[in-house]
Short mmCIF file of all heavy atoms in Angstrom, two decimals:
data_model
loop_
_atom_site.label_atom_id
_atom_site.label_comp_id
_atom_site.label_asym_id
_atom_site.label_seq_id
_atom_site.Cartn_x
_atom_site.Cartn_y
_atom_site.Cartn_z
N TYR A 225 38.53 -71.30 -10.20
CA TYR A 225 38.67 -72.71 -10.55
C TYR A 225 39.24 -72.82 -11.97
O TYR A 225 39.47 -71.81 -12.65
CB TYR A 225 37.32 -73.42 -10.46
CG TYR A 225 36.78 -73.51 -9.06
CD1 TYR A 225 35.87 -72.57 -8.58
CD2 TYR A 225 37.18 -74.53 -8.20
CE1 TYR A 225 35.38 -72.64 -7.28
CE2 TYR A 225 36.69 -74.61 -6.90
CZ TYR A 225 35.78 -73.67 -6.45
OH TYR A 225 35.30 -73.74 -5.16
N GLY A 226 39.44 -74.04 -12.41
CA GLY A 226 40.00 -74.29 -13.74
C GLY A 226 38.96 -74.73 -14.74
O GLY A 226 39.16 -75.73 -15.43
N GLY A 227 37.86 -74.03 -14.83
CA GLY A 227 36.81 -74.38 -15.78
C GLY A 227 35.46 -74.46 -15.10
O GLY A 227 35.35 -74.42 -13.87
N THR A 228 34.43 -74.58 -15.91
CA THR A 228 33.07 -74.58 -15.37
C THR A 228 32.78 -75.80 -14.52
O THR A 228 32.16 -75.70 -13.46
CB THR A 228 32.05 -74.52 -16.53
OG1 THR A 228 32.29 -73.35 -17.28
CG2 THR A 228 30.63 -74.49 -15.99
N GLY A 229 33.23 -76.99 -14.95
CA GLY A 229 32.97 -78.20 -14.19
C GLY A 229 33.51 -78.11 -12.78
O GLY A 229 32.83 -78.47 -11.81
N GLU A 230 34.73 -77.60 -12.65
CA GLU A 230 35.33 -77.47 -11.33
C GLU A 230 34.60 -76.41 -10.50
O GLU A 230 34.43 -76.57 -9.28
CB GLU A 230 36.81 -77.11 -11.46
CG GLU A 230 37.66 -78.24 -12.03
CD GLU A 230 39.13 -77.87 -12.10
OE1 GLU A 230 39.52 -76.90 -11.43
OE2 GLU A 230 39.88 -78.55 -12.83
N ALA A 231 34.17 -75.34 -11.14
CA ALA A 231 33.43 -74.29 -10.42
C ALA A 231 32.11 -74.84 -9.88
O ALA A 231 31.74 -74.59 -8.73
CB ALA A 231 33.19 -73.10 -11.33
N LEU A 232 31.41 -75.60 -10.71
CA LEU A 232 30.13 -76.15 -10.27
C LEU A 232 30.33 -77.17 -9.15
O LEU A 232 29.53 -77.23 -8.20
CB LEU A 232 29.42 -76.80 -11.46
CG LEU A 232 28.99 -75.85 -12.58
CD1 LEU A 232 28.42 -76.63 -13.75
CD2 LEU A 232 27.99 -74.83 -12.07
N SER A 233 31.39 -77.94 -9.25
CA SER A 233 31.67 -78.90 -8.18
C SER A 233 32.02 -78.18 -6.89
O SER A 233 31.67 -78.63 -5.80
CB SER A 233 32.81 -79.83 -8.60
OG SER A 233 32.42 -80.62 -9.70
N GLY A 234 32.73 -77.05 -6.99
CA GLY A 234 33.03 -76.25 -5.81
C GLY A 234 31.78 -75.71 -5.16
O GLY A 234 31.66 -75.68 -3.92
N LEU A 235 30.84 -75.27 -5.98
CA LEU A 235 29.55 -74.82 -5.45
C LEU A 235 28.84 -75.97 -4.73
O LEU A 235 28.28 -75.81 -3.65
CB LEU A 235 28.67 -74.29 -6.58
CG LEU A 235 29.07 -72.93 -7.17
CD1 LEU A 235 28.44 -72.75 -8.54
CD2 LEU A 235 28.64 -71.79 -6.25
N GLU A 236 28.88 -77.13 -5.36
CA GLU A 236 28.20 -78.30 -4.79
C GLU A 236 28.82 -78.70 -3.46
O GLU A 236 28.12 -79.15 -2.54
CB GLU A 236 28.28 -79.45 -5.79
CG GLU A 236 27.43 -80.65 -5.43
CD GLU A 236 27.47 -81.72 -6.51
OE1 GLU A 236 28.46 -81.76 -7.28
OE2 GLU A 236 26.53 -82.51 -6.58
N ARG A 237 30.14 -78.55 -3.34
CA ARG A 237 30.83 -78.91 -2.10
C ARG A 237 30.72 -77.83 -1.02
O ARG A 237 31.20 -78.02 0.10
CB ARG A 237 32.31 -79.18 -2.39
CG ARG A 237 32.59 -80.41 -3.24
CD ARG A 237 34.07 -80.74 -3.23
NE ARG A 237 34.88 -79.69 -3.82
CZ ARG A 237 35.26 -79.66 -5.10
NH1 ARG A 237 34.87 -80.62 -5.92
NH2 ARG A 237 36.00 -78.67 -5.55
N GLY A 238 30.14 -76.68 -1.36
CA GLY A 238 29.99 -75.62 -0.39
C GLY A 238 31.16 -74.67 -0.30
O GLY A 238 31.24 -73.86 0.62
N GLU A 239 32.08 -74.75 -1.25
CA GLU A 239 33.24 -73.87 -1.25
C GLU A 239 32.91 -72.47 -1.76
O GLU A 239 33.65 -71.53 -1.51
CB GLU A 239 34.36 -74.47 -2.11
CG GLU A 239 34.88 -75.80 -1.60
CD GLU A 239 35.83 -76.47 -2.56
OE1 GLU A 239 36.03 -75.94 -3.68
OE2 GLU A 239 36.36 -77.53 -2.20
N ALA A 240 31.84 -72.36 -2.50
CA ALA A 240 31.41 -71.07 -3.04
C ALA A 240 29.90 -70.97 -2.92
O ALA A 240 29.19 -71.98 -2.84
CB ALA A 240 31.85 -70.91 -4.49
N ASP A 241 29.42 -69.73 -2.93
CA ASP A 241 27.99 -69.48 -2.72
C ASP A 241 27.30 -68.91 -3.95
O ASP A 241 26.09 -69.08 -4.12
CB ASP A 241 27.81 -68.46 -1.59
CG ASP A 241 28.63 -68.78 -0.36
OD1 ASP A 241 28.32 -69.80 0.28
OD2 ASP A 241 29.58 -68.03 -0.05
N VAL A 242 28.05 -68.19 -4.79
CA VAL A 242 27.45 -67.42 -5.88
C VAL A 242 28.25 -67.66 -7.16
O VAL A 242 29.46 -67.88 -7.12
CB VAL A 242 27.47 -65.90 -5.54
CG1 VAL A 242 26.74 -65.10 -6.61
CG2 VAL A 242 26.84 -65.65 -4.18
N PHE A 243 27.55 -67.60 -8.30
CA PHE A 243 28.18 -67.84 -9.59
C PHE A 243 27.48 -66.96 -10.62
O PHE A 243 26.28 -67.09 -10.84
CB PHE A 243 28.03 -69.32 -9.95
CG PHE A 243 28.86 -69.80 -11.11
CD1 PHE A 243 30.02 -69.15 -11.50
CD2 PHE A 243 28.47 -70.94 -11.80
CE1 PHE A 243 30.79 -69.63 -12.56
CE2 PHE A 243 29.22 -71.44 -12.86
CZ PHE A 243 30.38 -70.78 -13.23
N LEU A 244 28.22 -66.04 -11.23
CA LEU A 244 27.66 -65.24 -12.32
C LEU A 244 27.76 -66.06 -13.59
O LEU A 244 28.86 -66.39 -14.04
CB LEU A 244 28.44 -63.93 -12.48
CG LEU A 244 27.92 -62.98 -13.57
CD1 LEU A 244 26.53 -62.45 -13.23
CD2 LEU A 244 28.89 -61.82 -13.80
N VAL A 245 26.62 -66.41 -14.16
CA VAL A 245 26.56 -67.34 -15.28
C VAL A 245 26.14 -66.63 -16.55
O VAL A 245 25.11 -65.97 -16.60
CB VAL A 245 25.58 -68.50 -14.99
CG1 VAL A 245 25.53 -69.46 -16.17
CG2 VAL A 245 25.99 -69.24 -13.72
N GLY A 246 26.94 -66.77 -17.57
CA GLY A 246 26.58 -66.28 -18.88
C GLY A 246 26.68 -67.42 -19.88
O GLY A 246 27.69 -68.11 -19.93
N PRO A 247 25.61 -67.65 -20.64
CA PRO A 247 24.33 -66.96 -20.65
C PRO A 247 23.34 -67.56 -19.65
O PRO A 247 23.59 -68.59 -19.05
CB PRO A 247 23.84 -67.19 -22.07
CG PRO A 247 24.39 -68.54 -22.41
CD PRO A 247 25.73 -68.62 -21.74
N ALA A 248 22.17 -66.90 -19.56
CA ALA A 248 21.16 -67.34 -18.60
C ALA A 248 20.59 -68.72 -18.93
O ALA A 248 20.10 -69.42 -18.04
CB ALA A 248 20.02 -66.32 -18.53
N THR A 249 20.67 -69.11 -20.20
CA THR A 249 20.22 -70.47 -20.55
C THR A 249 21.07 -71.50 -19.83
O THR A 249 20.58 -72.56 -19.43
CB THR A 249 20.27 -70.68 -22.07
OG1 THR A 249 21.48 -70.11 -22.59
CG2 THR A 249 19.09 -70.03 -22.75
N SER A 250 22.37 -71.21 -19.66
CA SER A 250 23.22 -72.10 -18.86
C SER A 250 22.85 -72.01 -17.39
O SER A 250 22.93 -72.99 -16.66
CB SER A 250 24.70 -71.72 -19.06
OG SER A 250 25.13 -72.01 -20.36
N GLY A 251 22.43 -70.80 -16.96
CA GLY A 251 21.96 -70.64 -15.59
C GLY A 251 20.78 -71.54 -15.28
O GLY A 251 20.66 -72.07 -14.17
N LEU A 252 19.91 -71.74 -16.27
CA LEU A 252 18.77 -72.64 -16.08
C LEU A 252 19.24 -74.05 -15.74
O LEU A 252 18.66 -74.73 -14.89
CB LEU A 252 17.91 -72.67 -17.34
CG LEU A 252 17.13 -71.41 -17.70
CD1 LEU A 252 16.44 -71.59 -19.06
CD2 LEU A 252 16.12 -71.07 -16.63
N LYS A 253 20.31 -74.49 -16.41
CA LYS A 253 20.82 -75.84 -16.17
C LYS A 253 21.42 -75.95 -14.76
O LYS A 253 21.27 -76.98 -14.09
CB LYS A 253 21.87 -76.20 -17.22
CG LYS A 253 21.27 -76.53 -18.57
CD LYS A 253 22.32 -77.15 -19.48
CE LYS A 253 21.67 -77.68 -20.75
NZ LYS A 253 22.64 -78.40 -21.61
N VAL A 254 22.10 -74.89 -14.34
CA VAL A 254 22.68 -74.91 -13.00
C VAL A 254 21.58 -75.01 -11.95
O VAL A 254 21.67 -75.79 -10.99
CB VAL A 254 23.54 -73.65 -12.75
CG1 VAL A 254 24.08 -73.64 -11.33
CG2 VAL A 254 24.70 -73.59 -13.75
N VAL A 255 20.53 -74.22 -12.13
CA VAL A 255 19.41 -74.22 -11.19
C VAL A 255 18.77 -75.61 -11.11
O VAL A 255 18.41 -76.09 -10.01
CB VAL A 255 18.36 -73.16 -11.60
CG1 VAL A 255 17.07 -73.34 -10.81
CG2 VAL A 255 18.92 -71.76 -11.39
N LYS A 256 18.64 -76.28 -12.24
CA LYS A 256 18.01 -77.59 -12.27
C LYS A 256 18.90 -78.67 -11.65
O LYS A 256 18.41 -79.65 -11.09
CB LYS A 256 17.66 -77.98 -13.71
CG LYS A 256 16.54 -77.15 -14.31
CD LYS A 256 16.33 -77.51 -15.78
CE LYS A 256 15.22 -76.64 -16.39
NZ LYS A 256 15.04 -76.93 -17.85
#
């Protein structure tokens, strides 16, 4: 994708299943 926002939206739409997130503090936000 072209940035984090687009990647997260792709996950939300079901286009992707997994995302390696650095750092884990950002991972906490994704989980929430």
Side-chain angles (χ1 to χ4, degrees):
Y225 294 95
T228 301
E230 291 182 16
L232 295 175
S233 295
L235 287 161
E236 190 176 24
R237 293 192 297 266
E239 297 172 356
D241 312 293
V242 185
F243 192 23
L244 182 66
V245 180
T249 42
S250 292
L252 291 175
K253 285 192 170 185
V254 177
V255 168
K256 291 175 182 178

